[in-house]
Amino acid sequence: MATRVLARTDVRGVDGDLRNALARPRPEADDVAAVVREILAIVRGGGDNALRDLTERFDGFRPDAFAVSRAEREAALARVDPELARALEFARDQILAFHESQLTKEPAHERSGIQVQELVIPVDRAGCYVPGGRATYPSSVLMTAVPARVAGVPEVVLCVPASADGRVPDATLAAAALADVDELYRIGGAQAIAALAYGTDSIPPVDVIVGPGNAYVAEAKRQLVGVVGIDSLAGPSDVMIVADATSDPELVAADLLAQAEHGPGGGAIVVTWDEAVADAVDAALARQLAATPRREDATATLQSGGRAVLVDDRHRAIVAVNAVAPEHVQLMCEDADLLVPEVRNAGAVFVGRDASAVLGDYIAGVNHVLPTAGTARFASALRVTDFQKHVHVVRVEPGALAEIAPHAIRIADTEGLTAHGDAWRLRTERKS
């Protein structure tokens, strides 16, 4: 029998929660937290000079300056292939339309003489991180910067790793031009996150940092919660596909491979109640893997995070999905729409044969910055609200004090907070 590409996990006959049975393997790597902690401390203490040292160490070049001007971005937009420019513009418009739909009118509420209004205020500066190195991701520029613009953020800042010659790809610069990014810095990794959070001599700090990245980027964001706001811990990509005998194994394999080619640390899982389907998908994946140009990255993902999960039926398949809480879920089985209400833990759900997660990566308009590594249990896709604060404004009608003050005083006295109660007693005395 040929060697399987996907490790086989059989949970048929296993009742109840599948979280332990489908737990993700722990990566065998350096202590990411310790390495990131060191990088954050170096950048915080050394500023621009530390950034130059770290960029030389990790990216292979020593920059004199980090900023990439708006003129360079516009020039790149003019240089790139016109079809790419049109595709990026189409993607931007799709993303813009979807994220504008998330905006709502400021709500107001009045009861018992108390009027409460909620102000929605954008942060002053938003930092967007876009990965590089293994690939070029103009789509992630659009996915992070466009919602920030929709939210009304006055200053949108982008950090992206440069190649060893210090250049940022034209496609990335073109997307930055289309997204109207205010500042662009050629810095990557945990050091870029540190620079955005703490600020340096040449880079003012931001209020919120969003965007995907490798384990070091995700760990840097985690350690800096409280110094800045973050969207979620968006790390290496993962997908889970529910398939049955009606599914095309070549398409299932293609969609698994599409996420696996992002590289190490991610996940690519097919879940089915038909062992023949698992075998067919594995065979198709082996054929496609042999031909893909990014075979090394895809193989690394599949070796650590590739799995075929066997379950008893379609409903247990969704139990498995909810246990794994993947970034992307694809329902490529018969009557897929009927399963959507059962999905509770997922970054995004794609329904039907042609609704590939790749559609969400580029042009569906939904955001492709999604919770990964099981964090979809409590986190969501990047949204306009990730760039906004909600501030309550309270007013009291002149005649309402007599009715509401006794309630506030009673609660304050019960909690032993005398000054709280006195603040209300004084007001009632002044009214009488």
Side-chain angles (χ1 to χ4, degrees), residues 7-268:
R8 192 67 58 94
T9 303
D10 192 340
V11 292
R12 290 175 291 187
V14 178
D15 295 327
D17 194 340
L18 295 176
R19 195 173 299 182
N20 290 334
L22 299 178
R24 297 164 184 266
R26 292 183 176 274
E28 296 179 6
D30 297 334
D31 185 349
V32 173
V35 172
V36 169
R37 194 173 296 113
E38 178 188 9
I39 290 171
L40 299 188
I42 290 171
V43 173
R44 188 176 192 182
D48 280 356
N49 286 333
L51 277 181
R52 290 187 180 94
D53 292 341
L54 289 165
T55 300
E56 185 174 28
R57 174 179 161 191
F58 292 118
D59 295 331
F61 77 101
R62 189 173 184 85
D64 294 325
F66 304 108
V68 179
S69 70
R70 186 180 295 271
E72 290 178 81
R73 294 170 238 160
E74 294 291 344
L77 180 57
R79 278 196 306 269
V80 298
D81 182 277
E83 289 188 5
L84 173 61
R86 286 193 293 272
L88 290 173
E89 189 171 4
F90 177 82
R92 180 201 60 187
D93 292 346
Q94 290 285 97
I95 297 162
L96 182 66
F98 174 77
H99 287 82
E100 283 181 337
S101 75
Q102 295 176 3
L103 296 176
T104 58
K105 294 179 66 176
E106 296 174 1
H109 173 73
E110 185 171 347
R111 190 168 187 269
S112 302
I114 302 173
Q115 183 189 90
V116 178
Q117 181 185 12
E118 186 172 76
L119 300 183
V120 181
I121 303 173
V123 300
D124 294 329
R125 279 174 63 83
C128 303
Y129 184 84
V130 170
R134 292 181 178 274
T136 300
Y137 297 107
S139 58
S140 292
V141 176
L142 301 178
M143 292 289 180
T144 54
V146 170
R149 279 283 173 240
V150 172
V153 177
E155 298 176 8
V156 179
V157 184
L158 177 66
C159 277
V160 59
S163 58
D165 61 4
R167 292 176 58 83
V168 176
D170 275 357
T172 300
L173 297 181
L178 285 170
D180 195 25
V181 169
D182 293 293
E183 302 164 29
L184 195 158
Y185 300 102
R186 46 184 180 164
I187 319 165
Q191 61 271 25
I193 305 302
L196 290 172
Y198 295 130
T200 69
D201 297 334
S202 62
I203 303 173
V206 302
D207 303 303
V208 169
I209 299 175
V210 305
N214 63 17
Y216 293 91
V217 168
E219 177 61 22
K221 288 168 69 177
R222 189 192 66 78
Q223 290 190 25
L224 287 167
V225 171
V227 178
V228 290
I230 68 168
D231 50 345
S232 64
L233 299 177
S237 185
D238 59 77
V239 64
M240 194 166 184
I241 299 177
V242 179
D244 63 9
T246 69
S247 307
D248 183 335
E250 295 290 340
L251 291 180
V252 175
D255 288 344
L256 291 172
L257 190 58
Q259 299 306 319
E261 73 173 345
H262 282 295

Side-chain angles (χ1 to χ4, degrees), residues 166-379:
R167 292 176 58 83
V168 176
D170 275 357
T172 300
L173 297 181
L178 285 170
D180 195 25
V181 169
D182 293 293
E183 302 164 29
L184 195 158
Y185 300 102
R186 46 184 180 164
I187 319 165
Q191 61 271 25
I193 305 302
L196 290 172
Y198 295 130
T200 69
D201 297 334
S202 62
I203 303 173
V206 302
D207 303 303
V208 169
I209 299 175
V210 305
N214 63 17
Y216 293 91
V217 168
E219 177 61 22
K221 288 168 69 177
R222 189 192 66 78
Q223 290 190 25
L224 287 167
V225 171
V227 178
V228 290
I230 68 168
D231 50 345
S232 64
L233 299 177
S237 185
D238 59 77
V239 64
M240 194 166 184
I241 299 177
V242 179
D244 63 9
T246 69
S247 307
D248 183 335
E250 295 290 340
L251 291 180
V252 175
D255 288 344
L256 291 172
L257 190 58
Q259 299 306 319
E261 73 173 345
H262 282 295
I269 303 172
V270 60
V271 55
T272 183
W273 46 99
D274 187 332
E275 195 162 359
V277 171
D279 292 339
V281 169
D282 201 286
L285 188 55
R287 290 191 296 272
Q288 294 180 25
L289 182 61
T292 185
R294 294 176 62 83
R295 182 179 179 182
E296 184 177 344
D297 285 334
T299 299
T301 299
L302 294 169
Q303 285 178 343
S304 62
R307 265 196 286 185
V309 176
L310 297 175
V311 293
D312 291 305
D313 55 41
R314 56 199 292 110
H315 300 291
R316 291 300 289 174
I318 304 304
V319 172
V321 165
N322 290 329
V324 173
E327 177 187 16
H328 308 95
V329 172
Q330 290 186 216
L331 303 177
M332 298 181 72
C333 55
E334 189 175 26
D335 295 328
D337 276 304
L338 300 179
L339 294 179
V340 173
E342 297 182 37
V343 178
R344 296 183 56 83
N345 300 332
V349 182
F350 300 86
V351 185
R353 189 195 73 159
D354 294 329
S356 167
V358 174
L359 190 68
D361 286 342
Y362 296 133
I363 58 170
V366 297
N367 209 290
H368 79 194
V369 180
L370 299 166
T372 63
T375 59
R377 291 182 295 108
F378 52 83

